[in-house]
Amino acid sequence: MTVLLSLAVALFAGLMMTRACKPLGLPAVTGYLVAGILIGPYCLGLLGVEGLGFTSFEAVESFHILSEAALGFIAFTIGNEFRLSSLKQIGKQAVVIALFGAVGATILVDAALIGLSFLMPGVVDLPVALTLGAIASATAPAATLMVVRQYKAKGPVTQMLLPVVAIDDAIGLIVFAVSLGVAKAVNSGHMDVLSIALEPVVEIVFSIVAGSILGALLSYTERLFHSRSKRLSITVAYVLLGVAISQIKFHIGPIHCGFSSLLLLMMMGTVFCNMCDFSEELMDRLDRWTGPLFALFFVLSGAELQLSVFTQWTMVVVGIVYIIFRCLGKYFGASFSAKITHCEKTVQDYLGITLFPQAGVALGMTLIASAEFGGAQGDVIRNITLFSVMVYELVGPLLTKIALTKAGEIKPEERKSSRGVMHH
């Protein structure tokens, strides 16, 4: 009973918070995250009443499967935006921008933290700086997609944004694997070139191949059914299957193999939308079905934010340096590369700002890094990432909204209600 009560409270708190955020002009995502903090272990959870909020991080973690599923649907939805017709126009530009944005953030964060390691030698060392630099390359598609959806943003920046975020994650995997390999070598004095070079490539190739096969199977299976509800059910079943497959880990000789759930499900969505002629109509129905799931995902993300990192001033200082230099890297990397690939002026000016949010992928990288290093180094990496994710998640959606509004891609709302149209 407490499980269902917790979910009901989480969903209700999230939706009520979005009402409070609306007059302030804040995106719904921010409302969900704040609601998560309020019913999480640091606020309502302190009362210790099971079911009424989350009393511990273990309680939030127990809903991990919901978050995994939600991320799967988010990745699948993003994949469905990549129709070949539009990719032919912007594919090359998106790759260049993603590369410059990811590498720019990594280089600037590396440089800043290596500099900081001389000032605060007890807190940051070279392996920690290299690892955090690699984590800086990742961008969070979930919050960005929710803002685009909520405000129905349309235009060159929005069109470029989703492919860049998708490609960014593939580049981030490679940057992270290489940096982590170098950081481990600095720690142990032993360099394992084979796993550094091969593991990320294997992960990307496996994810793309598995996603493509699932996407093709999905579009074939859909044709066996004609009722809309059965087609929707099949889509949900395949996305859950994709999420399940992405959890598999195995070894080929010395190489650790696995899948990136984001890449696998994005690829599945891309193949599906290009093979299936009624995919758009299906995605409309899926969007309505996943609304509550996404709301829960962000409330749970809010409840997972660890406010205790604010108690250590050293972490706050390093965290602020990390955030500032990552944002500078993302912004100027995207702006410069958009200029050299002759993108529109609005893309050059505003795309970088929409790449600030950071969450799931960065936290996944942090788990791997913490497990590799353990001890004090692992704690520093985890705390800095948690601190920055908290700031990015709360401020990022608003910045994305502001950037898209300034680019002229979010129109002033004409409020529709069930009773007809209410003008703003």
Side-chain angles (χ1 to χ4, degrees):
M1 183 191 97
T2 49
V3 172
L4 293 174
L5 185 59
S6 295
L7 288 178
V9 169
L11 201 48
F12 188 72
L15 292 166
M16 285 299 147
M17 206 65 213
T18 61
R19 297 307 304 168
C21 283
K22 200 157 194 170
L24 302 172
L26 295 170
V29 177
T30 309
Y32 295 137
L33 290 162
V34 172
I37 293 172
L38 293 177
I39 63 167
Y42 290 105
C43 296
L44 199 60
L46 289 174
L47 297 175
V49 182
E50 290 288 334
L52 188 71
F54 299 103
T55 49
S56 65
F57 283 109
E58 287 69 36
V60 186
E61 275 291 297
S62 66
F63 293 102
H64 187 62
I65 186 146
L66 273 180
S67 300
E68 289 287 339
L71 267 177
F73 281 104
I74 287 165
F76 181 70
T77 305
I78 291 174
N80 265 279
E81 305 287 333
F82 302 154
R83 302 193 179 273
L84 281 177
S85 50
S86 64
L87 277 186
K88 277 182 192 141
Q89 296 169 332
I90 60 168
K92 198 173 99 189
Q93 292 169 321
V95 171
V96 175
I97 293 171
L99 186 64
F100 274 80
V103 175
T106 298
I107 290 170
L108 281 190
V109 170
D110 275 346
L113 293 183
I114 288 169
L116 204 61
S117 67
F118 293 111
L119 297 172
M120 304 168 75
V123 182
V124 181
D125 56 16
L126 185 59
V128 168
L130 289 171
T131 307
L132 284 169
I135 291 170
S137 65
T139 308
T144 310
L145 179 75
M146 290 291 277
V147 174
V148 169
R149 279 290 153 92
Q150 184 187 347
Y151 296 105
K152 301 186 171 48
K154 270 195 180 66
V157 181
T158 309
Q159 197 186 4
M160 188 63 76
L161 171 58
L162 292 175
V164 167
V165 169
I167 298 160
D168 185 289
D169 282 324
I171 295 166
L173 278 174
I174 294 173
V175 172
F176 178 70
V178 172
S179 296
L180 189 65
V182 174
K184 273 160 47 183
V186 171
N187 257 355
S188 65
H190 165 66
M191 190 86 157
D192 183 5
V193 180
L194 183 72
S195 65
I196 292 175
L198 279 180
E199 278 181 18
V201 177
V202 168
E203 184 168 322
I204 290 167
V205 171
F206 277 21
S207 303
I208 288 174
V209 171
S212 303
I213 293 168
L214 281 175
L217 283 173
L218 171 58
S219 58
Y220 171 74
T221 316
E222 291 287 8
R223 294 198 170 88
L224 303 177
F225 298 92
H226 300 290
S227 99
R228 286 172 172 184
S229 57
K230 288 197 178 81
R231 280 177 171 175
L232 176 65
S233 303
I234 284 291
T235 311
V236 172
Y238 266 89
V239 173
L240 294 177
L241 176 64
V243 174
I245 289 171
S246 71
Q247 310 287 317
I248 298 170
K249 302 265 182 284
F250 55 96
H251 295 262
I252 298 176
I255 298 168
H256 299 273
C257 300
F259 298 93
S260 154
S261 66
L262 270 177
L263 282 179
L264 189 152
L265 282 136
M266 276 181 198
M267 200 63 208
M268 179 170 143
T270 304
V271 171
F272 172 62
C273 81
N274 285 295
M275 282 183 70
C276 178
D277 42 11
F278 48 81
S279 65
E280 282 189 39
E281 178 209 344
L282 249 172
M283 290 311 294
D284 277 348
R285 296 179 68 80
L286 189 69
D287 281 346
R288 288 174 214 157
W289 186 85
T290 49
L293 183 65
F294 290 171
L296 275 174
F297 168 71
F298 285 107
V299 174
L300 290 169
S301 301
E304 274 181 320
L305 296 178
Q306 306 216 8
L307 305 186
S308 56
V309 290
F310 284 120
T311 56
Q312 299 162 279
W313 71 268
T314 48
M315 290 300 139
V316 175
V317 171
V318 180
I320 289 168
V321 170
Y322 170 89
I323 288 168
I324 290 170
F325 281 89
R326 180 180 173 275
C327 289
L328 289 172
K330 285 280 176 199
Y331 182 77
F332 288 109
S335 181
F336 172 72
S337 52
K339 210 168 256 142
I340 60 171
T341 53
H342 311 296
C343 291
E344 292 184 36
K345 184 82 173 79
T346 49
V347 177
Q348 294 174 27
D349 291 347
Y350 299 112
L351 182 68
I353 299 168
T354 63
L355 300 177
F356 291 170
Q358 190 176 33
V361 180
L363 292 174
M365 291 176 173
T366 308
L367 284 176
I368 295 167
S370 303
E372 286 290 351
F373 293 122
Q377 286 177 318
D379 286 346
V380 172
I381 292 167
R382 193 175 68 248
N383 286 340
I384 301 298
T385 312
L386 287 169
F387 173 76
S388 63
V389 163
M390 181 152 34
V391 175
Y392 285 129
E393 283 287 84
L394 294 173
V395 181
L398 181 62
L399 288 177
T400 301
K401 182 198 168 186
I402 292 169
L404 291 174
T405 306
K406 283 197 179 300
E409 302 193 6
I410 293 178
K411 302 284 176 271
E413 294 170 74
E414 276 195 350
R415 297 279 165 72
K416 282 190 172 60
S417 81
S418 54
R419 294 181 292 280
V421 177
M422 298 192 307
H423 291 284
H424 186 46

